[in-house]
Amino acid sequence: MRVIIAAAGTAGHINPGIAIANKIKKESPRSEIIFLGTERGLENDLVPRAGYTLKTIDAYGLSKKISFQSIKNNLKTLKGIRRSQKNCQRI
């Protein structure tokens, strides 16, 4: 089985993802599991420490404010979505 788990930011998102990955590995040891996250969150520490591969993308929360920075972040998020789709096709 091939699995991608998207979990980023806080341990409240990442730790449940790791628990699910561990359960999958226990039930199906030959499973391939990768995590998808950002370069800014706790996933950079927690996921590799748990023994899983982490692929990173640029992603930001969508802002309702119109500013140069929010437009820039939205474009980065769209680029990250395209990159994650490419990663999914490889698995």
Side-chain angles (χ1 to χ4, degrees):
M1 176 182 342
R2 294 178 177 164
V3 179
I4 295 177
I5 298 174
T10 67
H13 291 112
I14 301 159
N15 286 333
I18 291 171
I20 290 168
N22 290 340
K23 180 67 174 174
I24 291 169
K25 275 294 198 185
K26 183 178 178 183
E27 299 293 322
S28 181
R30 292 177 34 196
S31 295
E32 296 176 43
I33 300 172
I34 66 165
F35 279 75
L36 192 58
T38 68
E39 294 179 357
R40 299 179 312 279
L42 291 175
E43 62 272 22
N44 291 284
D45 177 43
L46 298 175
V47 171
R49 196 170 357 144
Y52 296 102
T53 300
L54 173 67
K55 302 273 185 174
T56 60
I57 61 168
D58 277 334
Y60 298 84
L62 299 177
S63 175
K64 293 180 182 179
K65 296 179 186 176
I66 296 176
S67 69
F68 178 73
Q69 189 62 44
S70 67
I71 291 170
K72 186 176 167 182
N73 287 347
N74 289 342
L75 291 173
K76 286 181 180 181
T77 298
L78 290 173
K79 183 179 176 183
I81 290 169
R82 285 193 296 273
R83 186 168 174 212
S84 66
Q85 288 171 333
K86 288 180 183 178
N87 283 330
C88 289
Q89 290 173 355
R90 290 184 192 137
I91 291 211

